[in-house]
Amino acid sequence: MIPIIINFKTYKSGKDALNLAKQIEKINKKIIIGVQATDLHSIYSLTKLPVFIQHADFHEPGRNTGFITPEASYAVGAKGVFLNHSEHKLRFGVIKKTVERCKKIGLKTAIFAANLREAKKIKKLNPTYLIYEPPKLVAGKVSVSKSKPGLIKEIAKKLKYDFYVGAGIKTREDVKIAMKLGASGIAVSSVITKAKNPRKKLKSLITY
Ligand code: G3P
């Protein structure tokens, strides 16, 4: 299987998110999914998938109304945390503090970078997963693989750290190109969350 992270974003929630997670589980129980905080516990309880929360804060348990602590994420079953997605940008100092807090309590981290410069900074935090996604191509018609092959190659050459690639990935060919250029996995959202038959689509993307 090609290593993959599926970001549910807010395309699916409640029962729909759970149903999608169950479909994904049928393909492979090791696939990482990123869900909204509100869906985490039900998906954790009713599937065996490693579930990541789409964002957490560095705040400590206590007087912090409305924040999502790493402890709370862990308590409801999160295996890890997404940070700094282009749709939820964070300052580097915030990412750093949050990563430190997550590591202390045993949460994995999947940190997004928009370009090589940002990826180099994030690499210093030693995230479990580092994901390169050019923001303009997210949910677009043309995949990062076809539109920015040179940038994927450059990252593979200069970053010297395992990285996943995402943005507009829709076909087996997109996946093959990304992997061939040096990615160690892929990140997707709309191709699965909006698919009529997510199982079939997922299978076509990731099985050898
Ligand atoms: O995190 C994955 C995501 O941003 C890619 O989105 O819809 O282009 O597959 P999409």
Side-chain angles (χ1 to χ4, degrees):
M1 181 190 91
I2 306 275
I4 186 170
I5 294 177
I6 304 175
N7 183 355
F8 282 25
K9 305 195 176 182
T10 52
Y11 285 116
K12 296 273 189 247
S13 41
K15 277 186 192 149
D16 294 339
L18 178 59
N19 286 339
L20 179 60
K22 285 183 173 170
Q23 300 281 314
I24 293 168
E25 187 186 28
K26 285 184 183 144
I27 302 290
N28 194 304
K29 291 185 174 51
K30 288 188 182 142
I31 293 172
I32 294 171
I33 59 169
V35 306
Q36 295 174 78
T38 41
D39 289 318
L40 208 138
H41 192 248
S42 68
I43 296 179
Y44 163 73
S45 310
L46 298 168
T47 75
K48 292 195 163 46
L49 296 171
V51 191
F52 279 46
I53 194 162
Q54 285 174 16
H55 169 76
D57 300 293
F58 60 77
H59 299 71
E60 302 274 347
R63 289 180 59 186
N64 292 305
T65 303
F67 291 91
I68 300 171
T69 62
E71 284 82 354
S73 310
Y74 187 80
V76 292
K79 279 274 173 300
V81 168
F82 285 180
L83 291 171
N84 199 44
H85 191 279
S86 58
E87 293 152 9
H88 199 137
K89 240 16 214 173
L90 302 169
R91 282 187 295 110
F92 185 73
V94 170
I95 304 173
K96 191 165 181 269
K97 270 198 223 172
T98 314
V99 169
E100 282 161 10
R101 294 267 291 108
C102 286
K103 283 187 177 167
K104 256 191 202 153
I105 67 158
L107 283 168
K108 295 183 175 177
T109 53
I111 312 185
F112 294 82
N115 50 47
L116 176 61
R117 217 181 100 239
E118 196 177 23
K120 279 184 174 167
K121 279 180 93 175
I122 286 167
K123 170 188 159 178
K124 292 188 191 140
L125 304 176
N126 198 23
T128 320
Y129 302 98
L130 194 159
I131 306 158
Y132 164 59
E133 287 190 5
K136 283 190 182 146
L137 301 177
V138 168
K141 285 202 172 103
V142 187
S143 69
V144 57
S145 313
K146 287 190 183 139
S147 148
K148 302 276 178 210
L151 289 184
I152 302 177
K153 212 171 166 183
E154 193 187 9
I155 291 189
K157 195 172 157 211
K158 297 191 178 156
L159 187 63
K160 310 219 181 309
Y161 197 84
D162 280 358
F163 67 100
Y164 281 39
V165 167
I169 291 181
K170 272 183 265 319
T171 64
R172 178 71 193 168
E173 200 195 347
D174 293 333
V175 175
K176 271 192 189 163
I177 296 172
M179 300 301 287
K180 201 173 163 204
L181 293 172
S184 44
I186 54 157
V188 299
S189 181
S190 47
V191 68
I192 300 300
T193 55
K194 293 168 79 179
K196 280 204 182 111
N197 186 338
R199 250 167 94 182
K200 195 171 164 201
K201 188 70 212 178
L202 180 56
K203 212 169 170 187
S204 78
L205 289 181
I206 61 166
T207 44
Y208 287 111

